[in-house]
Amino acid sequence: MFEKFGEFNSVEELNAAAEGFLKEGDIKSLYALAEENGIDKEDAEDYVNGDTKVFATLAMAAFGRLSVQEKEISKEKNVMERMIKKQILEMVKSICTEHDMATAVMKKGKNVDVIFQTMKKGAEKHKSGNCGVSCGTDRDLCEIIKAYYLGSEKKLNERIEQLYK
C-alpha cells in the first residue's frame, strides 16, 4: 500500500499533492495518485477537466483509503481472518459517514488490521475453548472501532478488555 506516493495524513495533504501534479501538468502521476489512494478514475478525470475544484472530498478520500485496505485484506490467505477483517472493515464503512470518523480514517498508520490483531490478542489472553477473536455485539464492535480511530491504541485495548469482564 502507498508505495509510490506514501501514505497521506489527511485529505488536505492528498489534495495538495494532486494540485501540485495538476499545476505541473503531470496528469499521469495524478491518475497514479488516484489509483494508489482508492479514488475513482472518473473522479480524477473530473478534477483534471476542471469539473470539480478539489481532487477528493473527505468522504471520497476516507472511502478510498478503506478500499485500498480492502484490496489488501482480499489477499489474506487465511479465510477466517479475511472474513473477520472484512466484517470490521464493513463496520468502519458504516460509521465513516461521520466527519470525525472520516478524518480519523485518513490519519497515517490507521488500519483495520490493527483492530483485528488487537482483538485477536485479547481473545488469546482470555482464551477459553476454541475462540479465535471476539468482538461482542455489533455495538461493541462499533465502540471498539471508535476507540481505535477516535482514541488511541490504549483506548482500543481497554475497550477490548471490557468484553471479558
Side-chain angles (χ1 to χ4, degrees):
M1 288 190 322
F2 311 114
E3 288 84 21
K4 189 168 186 175
F5 302 103
E7 184 177 11
F8 295 97
N9 198 45
S10 68
V11 67
E12 292 82 12
E13 286 183 7
L14 176 63
N15 282 331
E19 185 179 346
F21 289 133
L22 187 62
K23 282 181 180 175
E24 293 171 4
D26 190 352
I27 306 307
K28 183 178 177 183
S29 290
L30 195 140
Y31 285 127
L33 179 71
E35 183 178 349
E36 185 171 278
N37 285 277
I39 305 297
D40 292 335
K41 183 177 181 181
E42 293 79 14
D43 291 323
E45 286 173 355
D46 287 345
Y47 180 66
V48 169
N49 294 332
D51 298 332
T52 58
K53 300 239 186 264
V54 294
F55 178 66
T57 64
L58 175 59
M60 287 169 58
F63 280 95
R65 173 76 53 94
L66 294 173
S67 74
V68 169
Q69 290 181 31
E70 189 168 20
K71 287 177 187 172
E72 288 297 310
I73 290 169
S74 295
K75 296 175 188 175
E76 174 69 53
K77 292 184 183 355
N78 182 311
V79 176
M80 189 61 79
E81 288 190 9
R82 184 173 62 236
M83 287 175 30
I84 295 167
K85 288 177 185 179
K86 282 192 174 194
Q87 183 61 42
I88 296 167
L89 182 77
E90 289 305 314
M91 183 66 79
V92 173
K93 285 180 182 178
S94 74
I95 57 179
C96 195
T97 56
E98 300 169 16
H99 179 81
D100 291 349
M101 270 299 293
T103 300
V105 163
M106 288 302 297
K107 294 293 180 195
K108 196 178 242 181
K110 293 291 187 178
N111 193 303
V112 167
D113 192 58
V114 174
I115 298 170
F116 171 76
Q117 295 301 331
T118 307
M119 288 168 51
K120 186 175 174 181
K121 286 177 190 167
E124 288 171 0
K125 180 179 174 184
H126 297 281
K127 193 169 189 171
S128 61
N130 221 3
C131 177
V133 173
S134 177
C135 66
T137 65
D138 283 350
R139 178 178 286 161
D140 289 326
L141 179 56
C142 185
E143 289 175 9
I144 288 167
I145 289 167
K146 285 184 175 185
Y148 171 65
Y149 280 103
L150 301 175
S152 63
E153 287 192 42
K154 181 181 179 198
K155 294 276 186 199
L156 171 63
N157 283 307
E158 290 170 355
R159 185 60 193 94
I160 289 172
E161 276 300 311
Q162 290 175 355
L163 293 175
Y164 300 98
K165 292 183 179 183

